[in-house]
Amino acid sequence: MAGYVWSAVTQAPTRELFPGIRLRPLWSGANGAQAQVVELDPGSCWEGVDVHAPGPEEVFVVSGVFNDGERDYPAGSFIHAPAGSWHVPQTRTGCTLFVFYPEG
């Protein structure tokens, strides 16, 4: 269909953000919106605080258990983090996240 964009996680380039935390970009929109998969190895933790700016962050836990520094979110969880909020992404078990930034 005209206008559709397709990508496969297995073919997306991988960029290591921190030890054990990888980003796989899937799509970027003209307004700065982004869709990506983030993979966290067991025991990995974001270095510092992840602040959501300029807009919100939407997270769906595809597999494993994600922890935001406060609580665990098992596979199937959806998290909306409003602009200006923050967390420290981490996992004890390992996890895969689908992350969407509607405003970049």
Side-chain angles (χ1 to χ4, degrees):
M1 289 241 134
Y4 275 43
V5 175
W6 178 88
S7 53
V9 171
T10 56
Q11 295 177 2
T14 302
R15 181 174 60 133
E16 187 168 43
L17 300 174
F18 301 106
I21 301 177
R22 293 169 304 285
L23 175 118
R24 294 179 180 258
L26 299 176
W27 172 83
S28 293
N31 66 344
Q34 299 175 37
Q36 52 196 229
V37 167
V38 177
E39 301 163 329
L40 291 87
D41 291 340
S44 61
C45 184
W46 193 271
E47 294 178 4
V49 175
D50 181 24
V51 179
H52 307 115
E57 176 183 78
E58 314 285 350
V59 177
F60 180 77
V61 182
V62 176
S63 65
V65 179
F66 173 69
N67 182 286
D68 64 3
E70 293 290 322
R71 64 173 294 212
D72 286 334
Y73 300 91
S77 297
F78 173 78
I79 306 154
H80 168 80
S85 65
W86 60 272
H87 62 175
V88 181
Q90 57 195 282
T91 181
R92 287 185 294 278
T93 62
C95 63
T96 299
L97 311 173
F98 173 76
V99 181
F100 182 65
Y101 298 99
E103 299 175 26

